[in-house]
Amino acid sequence: SHHPQVLTSTHHNMAKSRTKHQPSLSKSSSHSDKNPLITLYNEYLSKTSLKLKIIDAFLVYCFFTGIIQMLYVTLVGSFPKNSFLSGFILSVAMFVLGVALRKQTNRDERKDFPDILPERAYVDFVVAGILILLVAVNYMG
Amino acid sequence: MNKKSVGLTILLCIIAIIISINAEVIKKPKILMVVETKNAKSSHTKMIKQLNQIGEVNMVTTQEKTWKLEEYGETKYDTVVLMTPTINRVPEALKKNALLNFFNEGKNIIIIADKTLPEAYTEFLMDSGIEFENGANFIVDHFNHEEEDGLHQLITSTAMNRDVIRKDVGKIMYKGVAMTNANKSPLVVPILTGSKTSYVLAEDEQEAPVAIGEEAMLVAGVQGRNGARITVIGSMDMVSDSFYDKQATGNNAFGQELFLWATGQRGILRHRQVKHHVVGETTEKYMYTINENITYSVIVEEYDQTKGGWIPYVANDLQLEFIMLDPYVRTSLNHIDAGRYESTFQVPDTYGVFKFKVDYRRAGYSYLIFNNKQTVRPYRMDQYDRFIPAAYPYYVSMFSAFIGFFIFAFLFLYTDNGKVKLE
């Protein structure tokens, strides 16, 4: 029972001396009793750039708009069905466009889209957004 | 002077033509009466006089071969009275098919029976719904009879159809065979039936009686769908002079009322001036929109010779249907004045081709069935609700998406990683 502990601790020390993320590992090991959600939240706030945070805020906004409409439908029913579909699909489509913009402008993921500049992604987002708004206004009735 | 008189005569001619076009000509009907021998003239003079008051009577016998019901495809008479109960073979002109054609042309038939009727007549009546059994037992009533013999076959009855016999005539004396509505035909109108205590025994007195009480028809009528009528008087004695003259019976007055109905001179209904429009407007539209309020009006008249022709018909049970395969609306037609009926209702929420249908059938009157086609269209694109309150959340979400989209697009463009650039 002694030996495994010694072995792991030496392995751990060796690992510590080799890796660059030594300080963060030690931090996480010392705070291992904290809630992973809170850790996620803190890391998110510190790690993500302002641009991405703005996109995420927009996504959350669209998401809640959609949720509220679904709640309304389950309570009251989908009487002017065209209005319901128009409003709900508008929220979903905005959300999807926001996600697409995030993927295409995020520095870490940009290598998935080698030939799309972030400016091009933005223009795509704006044009598609205007189109979907036009469609929604017409279908709303 | 000459010119003046010529002009005056021309003017008078024009006035006469105009009057004659506008006036409704009331013609007296032509009645053909067929008897076996000329003796009928002496035993039924009062009845013949009543018929003469109603129309022009032409009396022929079955031996003569010169007369016909129709000639060159047109019927020559409006009513035929057949008082030939005992002949064996009817003449060509009165075979079953001839009678049927005469009836189908809209003309009336009156058959006066005795203990028997020729087979052609009974077959014709069987097809029309009246069963007359040759050689059947006479109707018997032990409670309402005149004292003549112990058989109680000379009965009296007061059970009659008051839409046919409009006067209160008292009790009617009768002796003879009774008829039954064997197939429960809805076209048969019982005009005079036996009272509740009367009955007709079957041939074999062990079996159940043929008819009891008001099932036994003494004078039966058939109202055809084309307006023609068949009347069967089951006993020649009932309309003979001896019975007409009897005190305290109403046979005379009964005959008067009966022959008016039987010759089609009373109780014929017609309609005119069907009008309908949106409530508040006056013109008829080719198409009505769903959920509109409309008014329908029609004039219904009844023909009554004693009152001078077509008079307004007043009743409180006329109904109007607005029907397209199913009656979406069924309302009552209210009598406004002088035979004009009106009804206001809302066009249903379904579009299509409807019809205004009036289907009025009452015993003693001819059938009043007519319809007018009407198209109903859905809303125009600008007749729908503009802002539906139930959809407000969706309108709000749409406007919020607008605002959010624009704010986001602006912000995203003008931020840098670190701070917002405002230049």
Side-chain angles (χ1 to χ4, degrees), chain B residues 126-197:
Chain B
M126 195 56 171
D127 288 347
S128 313
I130 299 176
E131 186 168 355
F132 183 98
E133 216 181 299
N134 260 330
N137 287 321
F138 279 16
I139 184 168
V140 172
D141 193 340
H142 296 301
F143 291 84
N144 301 312
H145 57 91
E146 299 289 301
E147 307 287 351
E148 280 237 353
D149 49 24
L151 292 171
H152 299 166
Q153 282 171 345
L154 182 63
I155 65 165
T156 62
S157 172
T158 53
M160 58 190 87
N161 185 325
R162 291 311 304 275
D163 284 320
V164 176
I165 313 296
R166 305 220 178 146
K167 284 204 292 239
D168 197 0
V169 295
K171 58 181 187 196
I172 311 296
M173 203 153 25
Y174 186 92
K175 180 174 183 179
V177 175
M179 294 161 278
T180 53
N181 186 359
N183 299 322
K184 298 203 188 352
S185 161
L187 301 180
V188 171
V189 179
I191 299 173
L192 176 71
T193 63
S195 51
K196 292 200 174 83
T197 50

Side-chain angles (χ1 to χ4, degrees), chain A residues 49 51 54-55 58 61 65 69 72-73 79-80 83-84 90 94 107 122 125-126 137 140, chain B residues 386 388 390-391 393-395 397-398 400-402 404-405 408-409 412-413 415-417 419:
Chain A
S49 59
K51 265 193 144 79
I54 291 176
I55 295 184
F58 178 69
Y61 181 67
T65 308
Q69 281 174 103
Y72 182 74
V73 161
F79 158 53
S83 305
F84 156 63
L90 177 64
M94 282 297 177
R107 215 170 287 124
Y122 178 73
F125 170 80
V126 168
V137 168
M140 185 75 75
Chain B
R386 190 71 183 97
I388 303 173
Y394 310 121
Y395 302 150
S397 89
M398 186 178 71
S400 74
F402 259 107
F405 174 76
F408 165 71
F412 184 77
L413 206 51
T415 54
D416 200 0
N417 283 321
K419 56 183 182 287

Side-chain angles (χ1 to χ4, degrees), chain B residues 110-321:
Chain B
I110 303 177
I111 298 179
I112 305 179
D114 206 356
K115 304 180 192 57
T116 58
L117 267 184
E119 209 176 300
Y121 298 174
T122 54
E123 276 178 19
F124 173 68
L125 288 175
M126 195 56 171
D127 288 347
S128 313
I130 299 176
E131 186 168 355
F132 183 98
E133 216 181 299
N134 260 330
N137 287 321
F138 279 16
I139 184 168
V140 172
D141 193 340
H142 296 301
F143 291 84
N144 301 312
H145 57 91
E146 299 289 301
E147 307 287 351
E148 280 237 353
D149 49 24
L151 292 171
H152 299 166
Q153 282 171 345
L154 182 63
I155 65 165
T156 62
S157 172
T158 53
M160 58 190 87
N161 185 325
R162 291 311 304 275
D163 284 320
V164 176
I165 313 296
R166 305 220 178 146
K167 284 204 292 239
D168 197 0
V169 295
K171 58 181 187 196
I172 311 296
M173 203 153 25
Y174 186 92
K175 180 174 183 179
V177 175
M179 294 161 278
T180 53
N181 186 359
N183 299 322
K184 298 203 188 352
S185 161
L187 301 180
V188 171
V189 179
I191 299 173
L192 176 71
T193 63
S195 51
K196 292 200 174 83
T197 50
S198 59
Y199 61 92
V200 179
L201 287 176
E203 283 286 342
D204 177 7
E205 291 184 9
Q206 305 290 337
E207 287 178 9
V210 170
I212 303 175
E214 292 180 353
E215 282 173 6
M217 298 192 286
L218 310 179
V219 177
V222 174
Q223 174 74 59
R225 295 187 186 95
N226 56 355
R229 290 172 171 158
I230 305 174
T231 314
V232 187
I233 302 173
S235 157
M236 254 173 78
D237 294 330
M238 197 184 94
V239 287
S240 65
D241 283 347
S242 53
F243 277 45
Y244 268 28
D245 287 333
K246 284 210 194 286
Q247 304 291 340
T249 57
N251 285 43
N252 199 332
F254 179 84
Q256 182 73 49
E257 298 281 298
L258 174 67
F259 288 124
L260 273 173
W261 187 89
T263 52
Q265 299 304 302
R266 177 188 270 170
I268 304 284
L269 297 175
R270 76 169 181 191
H271 70 283
R272 329 187 258 126
Q273 285 191 20
V274 170
K275 290 193 214 161
H276 48 83
H277 54 85
V278 178
V279 171
E281 298 178 19
T282 48
T283 52
E284 232 174 75
K285 286 204 288 196
Y286 167 66
M287 275 199 286
Y288 290 123
T289 321
I290 55 177
N291 296 326
E292 248 181 345
N293 283 323
I294 59 177
T295 306
Y296 174 94
S297 82
V298 65
I299 295 181
V300 177
E301 292 177 332
E302 181 198 347
Y303 187 80
D304 192 339
Q305 195 192 53
T306 55
K307 301 218 175 94
W310 293 101
I311 54 170
Y313 176 72
V314 180
N316 59 357
D317 56 355
L318 252 78
Q319 273 186 342
L320 170 72
E321 275 181 7

Side-chain angles (χ1 to χ4, degrees), chain A residues 111-124:
Chain A
K111 46 183 166 311
D112 290 340
F113 308 95
D115 53 347
I116 296 182
L117 297 169
E119 288 80 8
R120 154 86 193 274
Y122 178 73
V123 168
D124 279 346

